[in-house]
Amino acid sequence: MPESIAETARDDEVRAALGETLESPPPLIDEAAAAELVRRHYGLGAEARTIACERDANFQMTAEDGRNFTLKVSNPGEPAVNTNFQTEAILWLERVDPGLPVPKVVRALDGQSEFPLRMADGRTSIVRMLTWLDGVPVVRVGVSAALRRDMGRTLARLGAALRDFDHPGASHDIQWDIKHASRLRPLVVSLSETGLRRQLLAELDHFDAAVRPALAGLRQQVVHNDLNHHNVLLDPPCPDRVSGVLDFGDMVKTPLVVDLAVAASYMTHQDDGALRCVAEMAAAYHEVMPLSRDEIGLLRDLIVARLMTSIAITEWRAARYPQNADYILRNNGPARIGMERFATLPRGEVTAALLRACNME
């Protein structure tokens, strides 16, 4: 097969794996247009400041009275039902557990919680505005053992609040849902580093043989699915407590334990011991939302699946969107370290340690 045809075939495989939204450019809207949008639809005079984002257009809006808000303009490739899924979930959380440190929906002048907006390039985005959460992202401060445990408890509390929530968009298909890790193969094959490529392909072989068949038998529900250190805020005077959880853009209905696996994957590059950090978070989560033995038995492999997903997707996207590479690759380095420090530990020893941490062995 000629090289050009082979490359086209690989690109088609990758596009099929990533889906339309990850391939769709962000909406074209600048700060001046964002300020005018908020004045017209929310009745607020506010100054806009762009917030870095991979798929959407987000702005911090500072009103004349000093209040801050987050304006979110969705990617035009995102189906409206999926954006509404996020909006309705935030409204649900406000009703079910109003004390959760998550944003609240701000309604437009006409009472709508979201509305469509035709952009300058002819595409249509969904517009929402949320309350602003004060705090410092954990990535800027670091994670203490106490904060790690509070992150586990907060995530479990969020999962408990979402337990009975459902929506037509809940089961949408996103590659960041790690139950779809098998689809990473065309991205992994394209990695240039031989050793890393071989390691990830071996993990994918194990995932296909032992993990994917077991996922259907686990508890399924809507989960946040992205508790990374950029999405968790803390108040510097109280650095051991979570003050905010951001970004519901990767929320999905999937096995419940996936939510913990995603959060725990960001503990695998910590200097104070990858397995110990993961076990501490898992134990704290288990105190609030008890896990089954089967769920803990798959936790190691799901954590590694998230690490692989972070590496494969970000490598591919950064190569194609170099102007946004710094943002896209922000979790790539930690994921590579996690593959070195955590994924290389004996699988049985990891699972045994997690079971002990949850008082199940």
Side-chain angles (χ1 to χ4, degrees):
M1 180 184 294
E3 185 175 353
S4 60
I5 297 176
E7 288 178 355
T8 299
R10 282 197 299 271
D11 283 347
D12 288 344
E13 284 185 311
V14 170
R15 291 189 181 93
L18 293 181
E20 179 182 2
T21 304
L22 280 174
E23 278 291 274
S24 174
L28 295 175
I29 178 171
D30 60 19
E31 293 175 346
E36 174 57 23
L37 188 160
V38 168
R39 185 198 64 77
R40 185 169 68 252
H41 290 277
Y42 293 91
L44 289 173
E47 181 179 346
R49 182 176 66 84
T50 300
I51 301 173
C53 187
E54 183 176 0
R55 297 176 303 199
D56 306 326
N58 293 338
F59 301 88
Q60 178 182 354
M61 307 301 303
T62 303
E64 294 170 348
D65 61 6
R67 290 180 298 160
N68 286 291
F69 304 90
T70 303
L71 179 70
K72 300 180 73 66
V73 183
S74 72
N75 190 297
E78 184 80 38
V81 66
N82 295 349
T83 306
N84 182 252
F85 166 47
Q86 300 166 30
T87 301
E88 291 299 324
I90 294 172
L91 291 169
W92 172 278
L93 291 173
E94 185 173 4
R95 293 191 298 270
V96 172
D97 190 348
L100 270 170
V102 298
K104 307 293 190 292
V105 172
V106 178
R107 294 187 181 273
L109 291 173
D110 60 3
Q112 293 186 87
S113 57
E114 61 182 31
F115 57 88
L117 181 69
R118 189 172 179 82
M119 310 304 292
D121 60 3
R123 301 184 300 164
T124 298
S125 292
I126 303 297
V127 175
R128 298 166 289 160
M129 195 154 76
L130 306 175
T131 57
W132 180 266
L133 296 182
D134 288 320
V136 178
V138 166
V139 69
R140 297 185 190 171
V141 180
V143 184
S144 66
L147 178 60
R148 186 158 43 243
R149 291 190 291 269
D150 198 54
M151 289 171 67
R153 289 188 292 265
T154 300
L155 184 65
R157 181 180 167 191
L158 182 56
L162 288 170
R163 180 186 292 124
D164 297 323
F165 174 69
D166 207 353
H167 186 276
S171 297
H172 67 132
D173 193 337
I174 59 171
Q175 183 56 58
W176 286 108
D177 180 359
I178 55 179
K179 69 173 180 248
H180 300 311
S182 300
R183 299 179 186 170
L184 295 172
R185 283 187 184 276
L187 283 74
V188 171
V189 168
S190 70
L191 291 174
S192 60
E193 301 100 318
T194 302
L196 179 63
R197 184 172 65 247
R198 185 182 298 117
Q199 181 189 19
L200 267 58
L201 287 173
E203 290 286 352
L204 285 176
D205 288 343
H206 175 77
F207 183 92
D208 286 345
V211 180
R212 186 172 62 174
L215 294 178
L218 303 182
R219 286 179 291 178
Q220 314 273 325
Q221 69 161 73
V222 172
V223 298
H224 179 272
N225 194 41
D226 196 16
L227 200 78
N228 71 64
H229 295 180
H230 298 268
N231 289 341
V232 181
L233 304 178
L234 56 81
D235 182 10
C238 303
D240 295 336
R241 298 294 301 276
V242 174
S243 66
V245 175
L246 306 174
D247 196 349
F248 287 72
D250 287 339
M251 189 172 55
V252 69
K253 189 173 185 177
T254 197
L256 173 66
V257 71
V258 163
D259 208 21
L260 174 59
V262 170
S265 74
Y266 295 98
M267 300 297 158
T268 60
H269 69 283
Q270 302 297 307
D271 291 332
D272 45 349
L275 180 53
R276 183 168 70 84
C277 293
V278 168
E280 285 179 352
M281 173 173 271
Y285 182 99
H286 181 69
E287 290 174 4
V288 178
M289 178 77 82
L291 297 162
S292 71
R293 194 175 188 88
D294 287 343
E295 288 168 330
I296 296 174
L298 292 175
L299 184 54
R300 178 269 176 202
D301 293 324
L302 291 172
I303 291 170
V304 173
R306 175 62 177 209
L307 295 172
M308 292 192 293
T309 300
S310 294
I311 293 168
I313 289 180
T314 59
E315 288 281 342
W316 193 88
R317 284 185 56 75
R320 281 145 185 82
Y321 301 101
Q323 70 280 7
N324 202 24
D326 288 346
Y327 180 85
I328 293 171
L329 291 171
R330 61 184 183 165
N331 290 318
N332 184 288
R336 286 170 171 265
I337 296 172
M339 289 301 299
E340 295 172 3
R341 295 182 179 176
F342 182 78
T344 56
L345 298 173
R347 183 176 280 107
E349 291 182 16
V350 171
T351 298
L354 294 174
L355 288 168
R356 285 195 301 270
C358 296
N359 297 314
M360 296 181 71
E361 187 169 278

